[in-house]
Short mmCIF file of all heavy atoms in Angstrom, two decimals:
data_model
loop_
_atom_site.label_atom_id
_atom_site.label_comp_id
_atom_site.label_asym_id
_atom_site.label_seq_id
_atom_site.Cartn_x
_atom_site.Cartn_y
_atom_site.Cartn_z
N MET A 1 -1.12 97.12 105.37
CA MET A 1 0.00 96.25 105.05
C MET A 1 1.32 96.86 105.48
O MET A 1 2.19 96.17 105.98
CB MET A 1 -0.03 95.96 103.54
CG MET A 1 0.99 94.97 103.11
SD MET A 1 0.56 93.34 103.74
CE MET A 1 1.61 92.35 102.77
N ALA A 2 1.47 98.17 105.29
CA ALA A 2 2.72 98.84 105.68
C ALA A 2 2.93 98.78 107.18
O ALA A 2 4.06 98.61 107.64
CB ALA A 2 2.71 100.29 105.20
N ILE A 3 1.86 98.89 107.95
CA ILE A 3 1.96 98.81 109.41
C ILE A 3 2.39 97.40 109.83
O ILE A 3 3.27 97.23 110.66
CB ILE A 3 0.63 99.20 110.09
CG1 ILE A 3 0.35 100.68 109.84
CG2 ILE A 3 0.67 98.90 111.58
CD1 ILE A 3 -1.01 101.15 110.30
N ALA A 4 1.80 96.40 109.21
CA ALA A 4 2.16 95.02 109.53
C ALA A 4 3.63 94.76 109.19
O ALA A 4 4.35 94.12 109.96
CB ALA A 4 1.26 94.04 108.80
N LYS A 5 4.08 95.28 108.05
CA LYS A 5 5.47 95.10 107.65
C LYS A 5 6.41 95.81 108.62
O LYS A 5 7.45 95.27 108.99
CB LYS A 5 5.69 95.60 106.22
CG LYS A 5 7.08 95.34 105.72
CD LYS A 5 7.25 95.75 104.28
CE LYS A 5 8.68 95.44 103.83
NZ LYS A 5 8.89 95.81 102.44
N ALA A 6 6.03 97.00 109.06
CA ALA A 6 6.85 97.75 110.02
C ALA A 6 6.94 97.01 111.34
O ALA A 6 8.01 96.94 111.95
CB ALA A 6 6.28 99.15 110.22
N LEU A 7 5.83 96.46 111.81
CA LEU A 7 5.82 95.69 113.05
C LEU A 7 6.68 94.44 112.92
O LEU A 7 7.43 94.09 113.83
CB LEU A 7 4.40 95.33 113.47
CG LEU A 7 3.53 96.49 113.94
CD1 LEU A 7 2.09 96.02 114.16
CD2 LEU A 7 4.09 97.13 115.20
N TYR A 8 6.56 93.76 111.79
CA TYR A 8 7.36 92.56 111.54
C TYR A 8 8.84 92.91 111.49
O TYR A 8 9.67 92.22 112.08
CB TYR A 8 6.90 91.90 110.25
CG TYR A 8 7.62 90.62 109.93
CD1 TYR A 8 7.39 89.47 110.68
CD2 TYR A 8 8.53 90.56 108.88
CE1 TYR A 8 8.06 88.29 110.40
CE2 TYR A 8 9.19 89.38 108.59
CZ TYR A 8 8.96 88.25 109.35
OH TYR A 8 9.62 87.08 109.07
N THR A 9 9.18 94.01 110.84
CA THR A 9 10.56 94.45 110.74
C THR A 9 11.10 94.79 112.13
O THR A 9 12.24 94.45 112.46
CB THR A 9 10.68 95.67 109.81
OG1 THR A 9 10.20 95.30 108.52
CG2 THR A 9 12.09 96.16 109.69
N GLU A 10 10.32 95.43 112.96
CA GLU A 10 10.74 95.76 114.32
C GLU A 10 10.95 94.48 115.14
O GLU A 10 11.91 94.39 115.91
CB GLU A 10 9.70 96.66 115.00
CG GLU A 10 10.03 97.03 116.42
CD GLU A 10 11.32 97.84 116.60
OE1 GLU A 10 11.84 98.38 115.61
OE2 GLU A 10 11.81 97.90 117.73
N GLN A 11 10.09 93.51 114.95
CA GLN A 11 10.26 92.24 115.66
C GLN A 11 11.56 91.55 115.24
O GLN A 11 12.29 91.03 116.07
CB GLN A 11 9.07 91.32 115.41
CG GLN A 11 9.16 90.03 116.20
CD GLN A 11 7.98 89.10 115.96
OE1 GLN A 11 7.29 89.20 114.94
NE2 GLN A 11 7.75 88.22 116.90
N ILE A 12 11.86 91.59 113.96
CA ILE A 12 13.11 91.00 113.47
C ILE A 12 14.31 91.74 114.05
O ILE A 12 15.29 91.12 114.47
CB ILE A 12 13.15 91.01 111.93
CG1 ILE A 12 12.14 90.01 111.38
CG2 ILE A 12 14.54 90.70 111.41
CD1 ILE A 12 11.94 90.08 109.89
N ARG A 13 14.24 93.06 114.11
CA ARG A 13 15.33 93.85 114.68
C ARG A 13 15.54 93.49 116.15
O ARG A 13 16.67 93.28 116.59
CB ARG A 13 15.04 95.35 114.56
CG ARG A 13 16.23 96.22 114.95
CD ARG A 13 15.82 97.66 115.22
NE ARG A 13 14.89 97.80 116.31
CZ ARG A 13 15.20 97.68 117.62
NH1 ARG A 13 16.41 97.38 117.99
NH2 ARG A 13 14.28 97.85 118.54
N LYS A 14 14.47 93.38 116.92
CA LYS A 14 14.57 93.00 118.33
C LYS A 14 15.16 91.60 118.47
O LYS A 14 16.00 91.35 119.34
CB LYS A 14 13.20 93.06 119.01
CG LYS A 14 12.71 94.44 119.30
CD LYS A 14 11.36 94.37 119.99
CE LYS A 14 10.81 95.75 120.26
NZ LYS A 14 9.47 95.68 120.87
N HIS A 15 14.70 90.70 117.63
CA HIS A 15 15.19 89.33 117.65
C HIS A 15 16.69 89.31 117.37
O HIS A 15 17.46 88.65 118.08
CB HIS A 15 14.42 88.51 116.61
CG HIS A 15 14.89 87.10 116.47
ND1 HIS A 15 14.60 86.35 115.38
CD2 HIS A 15 15.64 86.29 117.25
CE1 HIS A 15 15.15 85.16 115.49
NE2 HIS A 15 15.79 85.10 116.62
N ALA A 16 17.13 90.02 116.35
CA ALA A 16 18.55 90.05 115.99
C ALA A 16 19.38 90.65 117.12
O ALA A 16 20.46 90.14 117.44
CB ALA A 16 18.74 90.85 114.70
N GLU A 17 18.89 91.70 117.74
CA GLU A 17 19.61 92.33 118.85
C GLU A 17 19.75 91.37 120.03
O GLU A 17 20.83 91.22 120.60
CB GLU A 17 18.85 93.59 119.28
CG GLU A 17 19.51 94.37 120.39
CD GLU A 17 18.70 95.60 120.76
OE1 GLU A 17 18.26 96.32 119.85
OE2 GLU A 17 18.52 95.82 121.96
N LEU A 18 18.67 90.70 120.37
CA LEU A 18 18.72 89.73 121.46
C LEU A 18 19.63 88.56 121.13
O LEU A 18 20.38 88.07 121.99
CB LEU A 18 17.32 89.21 121.79
CG LEU A 18 16.44 90.11 122.63
CD1 LEU A 18 15.02 89.55 122.71
CD2 LEU A 18 17.02 90.29 124.02
N TYR A 19 19.58 88.10 119.90
CA TYR A 19 20.42 86.97 119.51
C TYR A 19 21.90 87.33 119.59
O TYR A 19 22.71 86.54 120.07
CB TYR A 19 20.05 86.49 118.10
CG TYR A 19 20.71 85.18 117.76
CD1 TYR A 19 20.30 83.99 118.35
CD2 TYR A 19 21.78 85.13 116.89
CE1 TYR A 19 20.92 82.79 118.06
CE2 TYR A 19 22.41 83.94 116.59
CZ TYR A 19 21.97 82.77 117.18
OH TYR A 19 22.59 81.58 116.90
N LYS A 20 22.26 88.55 119.18
CA LYS A 20 23.65 88.99 119.30
C LYS A 20 24.08 89.03 120.76
O LYS A 20 25.19 88.61 121.10
CB LYS A 20 23.81 90.37 118.66
CG LYS A 20 23.83 90.34 117.14
CD LYS A 20 23.80 91.72 116.54
CE LYS A 20 25.07 92.50 116.79
NZ LYS A 20 25.09 93.78 116.06
N LYS A 21 23.19 89.51 121.62
CA LYS A 21 23.50 89.54 123.06
C LYS A 21 23.65 88.13 123.60
O LYS A 21 24.52 87.86 124.43
CB LYS A 21 22.41 90.29 123.83
CG LYS A 21 22.43 91.78 123.62
CD LYS A 21 21.33 92.45 124.42
CE LYS A 21 21.32 93.94 124.21
NZ LYS A 21 20.25 94.60 124.99
N PHE A 22 22.80 87.23 123.13
CA PHE A 22 22.84 85.84 123.58
C PHE A 22 24.16 85.18 123.18
O PHE A 22 24.82 84.53 124.00
CB PHE A 22 21.65 85.06 123.01
CG PHE A 22 21.66 83.60 123.33
CD1 PHE A 22 21.45 83.15 124.62
CD2 PHE A 22 21.90 82.66 122.34
CE1 PHE A 22 21.47 81.79 124.92
CE2 PHE A 22 21.92 81.31 122.63
CZ PHE A 22 21.70 80.87 123.93
N VAL A 23 24.57 85.38 121.95
CA VAL A 23 25.81 84.79 121.46
C VAL A 23 26.99 85.31 122.29
O VAL A 23 27.86 84.54 122.71
CB VAL A 23 26.02 85.05 119.96
CG1 VAL A 23 27.41 84.69 119.51
CG2 VAL A 23 24.97 84.29 119.15
N ALA A 24 27.01 86.60 122.57
CA ALA A 24 28.08 87.18 123.38
C ALA A 24 28.05 86.61 124.80
O ALA A 24 29.10 86.31 125.38
CB ALA A 24 27.96 88.70 123.42
N ALA A 25 26.86 86.43 125.36
CA ALA A 25 26.73 85.90 126.72
C ALA A 25 27.18 84.45 126.78
O ALA A 25 27.83 84.03 127.75
CB ALA A 25 25.29 86.05 127.21
N VAL A 26 26.84 83.66 125.76
CA VAL A 26 27.28 82.26 125.72
C VAL A 26 28.80 82.19 125.59
O VAL A 26 29.45 81.37 126.24
CB VAL A 26 26.57 81.49 124.59
CG1 VAL A 26 27.21 80.13 124.36
CG2 VAL A 26 25.09 81.33 124.91
N ALA A 27 29.37 83.06 124.76
CA ALA A 27 30.83 83.09 124.62
C ALA A 27 31.48 83.45 125.95
O ALA A 27 32.49 82.85 126.34
CB ALA A 27 31.23 84.10 123.54
N ARG A 28 30.90 84.40 126.65
CA ARG A 28 31.44 84.77 127.97
C ARG A 28 31.34 83.60 128.94
O ARG A 28 32.28 83.34 129.69
CB ARG A 28 30.70 85.99 128.52
CG ARG A 28 31.15 86.39 129.91
CD ARG A 28 30.73 87.79 130.28
NE ARG A 28 30.83 88.08 131.68
CZ ARG A 28 31.93 88.06 132.42
NH1 ARG A 28 33.08 87.73 131.87
NH2 ARG A 28 31.91 88.37 133.70
N ALA A 29 30.21 82.91 128.93
CA ALA A 29 30.06 81.75 129.81
C ALA A 29 31.11 80.69 129.48
O ALA A 29 31.70 80.09 130.38
CB ALA A 29 28.65 81.17 129.69
N GLY A 30 31.37 80.49 128.20
CA GLY A 30 32.41 79.54 127.79
C GLY A 30 33.78 79.95 128.29
O GLY A 30 34.56 79.12 128.76
N ASP A 31 34.07 81.23 128.20
CA ASP A 31 35.34 81.74 128.71
C ASP A 31 35.46 81.52 130.22
O ASP A 31 36.50 81.09 130.72
CB ASP A 31 35.50 83.23 128.42
CG ASP A 31 35.78 83.53 126.96
OD1 ASP A 31 36.12 82.59 126.21
OD2 ASP A 31 35.62 84.71 126.57
N MET A 32 34.39 81.82 130.94
CA MET A 32 34.40 81.65 132.39
C MET A 32 34.53 80.18 132.77
O MET A 32 35.23 79.83 133.73
CB MET A 32 33.14 82.25 133.02
CG MET A 32 33.02 83.77 132.90
SD MET A 32 34.39 84.66 133.67
CE MET A 32 35.37 85.12 132.25
N LEU A 33 33.90 79.32 131.99
CA LEU A 33 34.02 77.88 132.23
C LEU A 33 35.46 77.43 132.05
O LEU A 33 36.01 76.72 132.90
CB LEU A 33 33.10 77.12 131.28
CG LEU A 33 33.16 75.60 131.33
CD1 LEU A 33 32.75 75.08 132.70
CD2 LEU A 33 32.27 75.01 130.24
N ALA A 34 36.09 77.88 130.97
CA ALA A 34 37.47 77.48 130.69
C ALA A 34 38.44 78.04 131.72
O ALA A 34 39.38 77.36 132.13
CB ALA A 34 37.87 77.94 129.29
N LYS A 35 38.20 79.27 132.16
CA LYS A 35 39.13 79.92 133.08
C LYS A 35 38.93 79.51 134.54
O LYS A 35 39.91 79.41 135.28
CB LYS A 35 38.99 81.44 132.98
CG LYS A 35 39.52 82.02 131.70
CD LYS A 35 39.30 83.51 131.65
CE LYS A 35 39.72 84.06 130.29
NZ LYS A 35 39.38 85.49 130.17
N HIS A 36 37.67 79.33 134.94
CA HIS A 36 37.38 79.18 136.37
C HIS A 36 36.75 77.85 136.75
O HIS A 36 36.63 77.55 137.93
CB HIS A 36 36.47 80.32 136.84
CG HIS A 36 37.06 81.68 136.62
ND1 HIS A 36 38.07 82.18 137.39
CD2 HIS A 36 36.78 82.64 135.69
CE1 HIS A 36 38.39 83.39 136.96
NE2 HIS A 36 37.62 83.69 135.92
N GLY A 37 36.28 77.09 135.76
CA GLY A 37 35.67 75.80 136.04
C GLY A 37 34.17 75.87 136.22
O GLY A 37 33.59 76.94 136.44
N MET A 38 33.55 74.69 136.14
CA MET A 38 32.09 74.59 136.17
C MET A 38 31.47 75.03 137.50
O MET A 38 30.36 75.54 137.52
CB MET A 38 31.67 73.16 135.85
CG MET A 38 30.16 72.97 135.80
SD MET A 38 29.72 71.28 135.42
CE MET A 38 29.69 71.38 133.65
N ASN A 39 32.17 74.83 138.58
CA ASN A 39 31.60 75.15 139.89
C ASN A 39 31.91 76.56 140.37
O ASN A 39 31.59 76.91 141.50
CB ASN A 39 32.09 74.12 140.92
CG ASN A 39 31.56 72.75 140.60
OD1 ASN A 39 30.43 72.58 140.19
ND2 ASN A 39 32.40 71.74 140.78
N SER A 40 32.48 77.38 139.51
CA SER A 40 32.84 78.74 139.91
C SER A 40 31.64 79.68 139.86
O SER A 40 30.71 79.50 139.08
CB SER A 40 33.94 79.28 139.00
OG SER A 40 33.44 79.49 137.69
N SER A 41 31.70 80.70 140.69
CA SER A 41 30.64 81.71 140.67
C SER A 41 30.68 82.51 139.37
O SER A 41 29.64 82.94 138.86
CB SER A 41 30.76 82.64 141.88
OG SER A 41 31.99 83.33 141.85
N GLU A 42 31.87 82.69 138.81
CA GLU A 42 31.99 83.42 137.54
C GLU A 42 31.23 82.71 136.42
O GLU A 42 30.49 83.34 135.66
CB GLU A 42 33.46 83.58 137.14
CG GLU A 42 34.26 84.48 138.06
CD GLU A 42 34.88 83.77 139.26
OE1 GLU A 42 34.60 82.57 139.47
OE2 GLU A 42 35.65 84.42 139.97
N PHE A 43 31.42 81.39 136.33
CA PHE A 43 30.70 80.64 135.31
C PHE A 43 29.20 80.63 135.59
O PHE A 43 28.39 80.85 134.69
CB PHE A 43 31.21 79.20 135.20
CG PHE A 43 30.32 78.35 134.34
CD1 PHE A 43 30.24 78.56 132.98
CD2 PHE A 43 29.53 77.35 134.89
CE1 PHE A 43 29.40 77.80 132.17
CE2 PHE A 43 28.69 76.58 134.10
CZ PHE A 43 28.63 76.80 132.73
N THR A 44 28.84 80.40 136.83
CA THR A 44 27.42 80.34 137.20
C THR A 44 26.71 81.64 136.83
O THR A 44 25.61 81.62 136.26
CB THR A 44 27.27 80.05 138.70
OG1 THR A 44 27.91 78.80 138.98
CG2 THR A 44 25.81 79.97 139.11
N GLU A 45 27.32 82.77 137.14
CA GLU A 45 26.71 84.06 136.82
C GLU A 45 26.61 84.29 135.32
O GLU A 45 25.60 84.77 134.81
CB GLU A 45 27.50 85.19 137.48
CG GLU A 45 27.36 85.21 138.99
CD GLU A 45 28.29 86.20 139.66
OE1 GLU A 45 28.83 87.09 138.96
OE2 GLU A 45 28.48 86.08 140.88
N ALA A 46 27.67 83.94 134.59
CA ALA A 46 27.66 84.12 133.13
C ALA A 46 26.64 83.20 132.47
O ALA A 46 25.93 83.61 131.55
CB ALA A 46 29.06 83.87 132.56
N ASP A 47 26.53 81.98 132.96
CA ASP A 47 25.55 81.03 132.43
C ASP A 47 24.13 81.50 132.70
O ASP A 47 23.26 81.42 131.83
CB ASP A 47 25.80 79.65 133.05
CG ASP A 47 24.93 78.57 132.45
OD1 ASP A 47 24.95 78.42 131.22
OD2 ASP A 47 24.24 77.87 133.23
N LYS A 48 23.91 82.03 133.90
CA LYS A 48 22.58 82.55 134.24
C LYS A 48 22.22 83.73 133.34
O LYS A 48 21.08 83.83 132.87
CB LYS A 48 22.54 82.97 135.70
CG LYS A 48 21.19 83.45 136.15
CD LYS A 48 21.17 83.79 137.63
CE LYS A 48 19.80 84.27 138.05
NZ LYS A 48 19.76 84.61 139.47
N ALA A 49 23.18 84.61 133.08
CA ALA A 49 22.92 85.76 132.20
C ALA A 49 22.53 85.29 130.80
O ALA A 49 21.59 85.83 130.20
CB ALA A 49 24.15 86.66 132.15
N ALA A 50 23.23 84.30 130.28
CA ALA A 50 22.89 83.76 128.96
C ALA A 50 21.49 83.14 128.98
O ALA A 50 20.72 83.31 128.03
CB ALA A 50 23.93 82.74 128.51
N GLY A 51 21.17 82.45 130.05
CA GLY A 51 19.84 81.85 130.17
C GLY A 51 18.73 82.87 130.20
O GLY A 51 17.66 82.66 129.61
N LEU A 52 18.96 84.00 130.86
CA LEU A 52 17.95 85.06 130.92
C LEU A 52 17.71 85.66 129.54
O LEU A 52 16.56 85.96 129.17
CB LEU A 52 18.36 86.13 131.92
CG LEU A 52 18.35 85.71 133.38
CD1 LEU A 52 18.95 86.81 134.26
CD2 LEU A 52 16.95 85.35 133.84
N ILE A 53 18.77 85.82 128.78
CA ILE A 53 18.61 86.34 127.41
C ILE A 53 17.87 85.33 126.55
O ILE A 53 16.99 85.71 125.76
CB ILE A 53 19.98 86.71 126.80
CG1 ILE A 53 20.62 87.84 127.60
CG2 ILE A 53 19.82 87.11 125.34
CD1 ILE A 53 22.07 88.10 127.26
N ALA A 54 18.16 84.05 126.71
CA ALA A 54 17.43 83.01 125.97
C ALA A 54 15.95 83.06 126.30
O ALA A 54 15.10 82.91 125.41
CB ALA A 54 18.01 81.63 126.27
N GLU A 55 15.62 83.29 127.57
CA GLU A 55 14.21 83.42 127.96
C GLU A 55 13.56 84.61 127.27
O GLU A 55 12.40 84.53 126.84
CB GLU A 55 14.09 83.55 129.47
CG GLU A 55 14.39 82.26 130.21
CD GLU A 55 14.35 82.45 131.72
OE1 GLU A 55 13.84 83.48 132.22
OE2 GLU A 55 14.83 81.54 132.42
N ASP A 56 14.29 85.73 127.15
CA ASP A 56 13.75 86.89 126.45
C ASP A 56 13.48 86.56 124.99
O ASP A 56 12.45 86.98 124.43
CB ASP A 56 14.73 88.07 126.52
CG ASP A 56 14.84 88.68 127.90
OD1 ASP A 56 13.94 88.45 128.74
OD2 ASP A 56 15.83 89.41 128.14
N ILE A 57 14.37 85.82 124.36
CA ILE A 57 14.16 85.41 122.96
C ILE A 57 12.92 84.53 122.87
O ILE A 57 12.08 84.74 121.98
CB ILE A 57 15.40 84.67 122.42
CG1 ILE A 57 16.57 85.63 122.27
CG2 ILE A 57 15.08 84.00 121.07
CD1 ILE A 57 17.90 84.97 121.96
N HIS A 58 12.76 83.59 123.77
CA HIS A 58 11.59 82.71 123.74
C HIS A 58 10.30 83.49 123.97
O HIS A 58 9.27 83.17 123.38
CB HIS A 58 11.73 81.58 124.74
CG HIS A 58 12.75 80.56 124.35
ND1 HIS A 58 12.68 79.84 123.18
CD2 HIS A 58 13.89 80.16 124.97
CE1 HIS A 58 13.72 79.03 123.10
NE2 HIS A 58 14.47 79.21 124.16
N ARG A 59 10.35 84.50 124.82
CA ARG A 59 9.15 85.33 125.03
C ARG A 59 8.80 86.09 123.75
O ARG A 59 7.63 86.28 123.44
CB ARG A 59 9.36 86.31 126.18
CG ARG A 59 8.98 85.76 127.53
CD ARG A 59 8.87 86.85 128.57
NE ARG A 59 10.15 87.45 128.90
CZ ARG A 59 11.07 86.91 129.70
NH1 ARG A 59 10.86 85.73 130.24
NH2 ARG A 59 12.20 87.53 129.95
N LEU A 60 9.82 86.52 123.03
CA LEU A 60 9.59 87.28 121.80
C LEU A 60 9.04 86.41 120.69
O LEU A 60 8.12 86.80 119.98
CB LEU A 60 10.89 87.96 121.35
CG LEU A 60 10.83 88.79 120.07
CD1 LEU A 60 9.92 90.00 120.27
CD2 LEU A 60 12.23 89.25 119.68
N ILE A 61 9.59 85.21 120.52
CA ILE A 61 9.20 84.40 119.36
C ILE A 61 8.50 83.10 119.72
O ILE A 61 8.17 82.33 118.83
CB ILE A 61 10.43 84.08 118.49
CG1 ILE A 61 11.42 83.21 119.25
CG2 ILE A 61 11.07 85.33 117.96
CD1 ILE A 61 12.49 82.61 118.37
N GLY A 62 8.32 82.84 120.99
CA GLY A 62 7.70 81.59 121.39
C GLY A 62 8.76 80.52 121.59
O GLY A 62 9.96 80.77 121.49
N ARG A 63 8.34 79.30 121.84
CA ARG A 63 9.27 78.22 122.16
C ARG A 63 9.84 77.54 120.93
O ARG A 63 10.71 76.70 121.04
CB ARG A 63 8.59 77.16 123.04
CG ARG A 63 8.44 77.60 124.45
CD ARG A 63 9.79 77.59 125.12
NE ARG A 63 9.72 78.26 126.41
CZ ARG A 63 10.77 78.60 127.11
NH1 ARG A 63 11.97 78.37 126.67
NH2 ARG A 63 10.62 79.20 128.26
N ARG A 64 9.41 77.92 119.74
CA ARG A 64 9.98 77.32 118.53
C ARG A 64 11.42 77.78 118.40
O ARG A 64 11.83 78.77 118.97
CB ARG A 64 9.17 77.68 117.30
CG ARG A 64 9.18 79.16 116.98
CD ARG A 64 8.32 79.45 115.75
NE ARG A 64 8.11 80.87 115.60
CZ ARG A 64 8.98 81.72 115.05
NH1 ARG A 64 10.13 81.26 114.61
NH2 ARG A 64 8.71 82.99 114.94
N HIS A 65 12.19 77.06 117.61
CA HIS A 65 13.59 77.42 117.39
C HIS A 65 13.66 78.72 116.63
O HIS A 65 12.87 78.98 115.72
CB HIS A 65 14.30 76.30 116.62
CG HIS A 65 15.77 76.45 116.62
ND1 HIS A 65 16.44 77.25 115.73
CD2 HIS A 65 16.71 75.94 117.45
CE1 HIS A 65 17.74 77.21 115.98
NE2 HIS A 65 17.94 76.42 117.02
N TRP A 66 14.59 79.60 117.00
CA TRP A 66 14.63 80.93 116.42
C TRP A 66 15.07 80.97 114.97
O TRP A 66 15.03 82.01 114.32
CB TRP A 66 15.48 81.89 117.24
CG TRP A 66 16.80 81.35 117.72
CD1 TRP A 66 17.84 80.92 116.98
CD2 TRP A 66 17.17 81.16 119.08
NE1 TRP A 66 18.85 80.49 117.79
CE2 TRP A 66 18.48 80.63 119.08
CE3 TRP A 66 16.55 81.39 120.29
CZ2 TRP A 66 19.15 80.32 120.25
CZ3 TRP A 66 17.23 81.09 121.45
CH2 TRP A 66 18.51 80.56 121.42
N THR A 67 15.50 79.84 114.39
CA THR A 67 15.80 79.85 112.96
C THR A 67 14.58 79.43 112.14
O THR A 67 14.62 79.52 110.92
CB THR A 67 16.96 78.89 112.62
OG1 THR A 67 16.60 77.56 112.98
CG2 THR A 67 18.23 79.30 113.32
N GLY A 68 13.54 78.97 112.81
CA GLY A 68 12.37 78.47 112.11
C GLY A 68 11.42 79.51 111.86
O GLY A 68 10.74 80.06 111.28
#
């Protein structure tokens, strides 16, 4: 039971770390959108970075919503 709890706790820690990175990446994409516009390379790169982090979250927890 202790091993299962430790593994679950580690999964939660990884999830929280990825989610914090995702929130920061989305905020950056929003900033780039506001500053440079939708068709800018700055926004495109920031949006792609946020998408890659979202994919990492989905790999960790599956396709269900991360609050569920």
Side-chain angles (χ1 to χ4, degrees):
M1 186 69 165
I3 293 172
K5 184 176 181 180
L7 291 173
Y8 182 71
T9 301
E10 179 63 16
Q11 184 180 23
I12 290 171
R13 188 197 62 74
K14 285 181 182 177
H15 177 199
E17 182 180 314
L18 281 173
Y19 190 73
K20 284 172 68 173
K21 287 180 181 180
F22 176 69
V23 169
V26 169
R28 176 163 166 61
D31 288 345
M32 294 300 103
L33 176 62
K35 289 178 185 174
H36 301 286
M38 182 180 271
N39 295 321
S40 68
S41 61
E42 293 88 353
F43 169 68
T44 301
E45 290 172 17
D47 186 54
K48 183 177 180 180
L52 291 173
I53 296 169
E55 288 177 14
D56 289 343
I57 291 170
H58 288 301
R59 271 195 292 282
L60 180 65
I61 65 167
R63 285 287 169 192
R64 65 182 168 80
H65 193 275
W66 44 62
T67 61

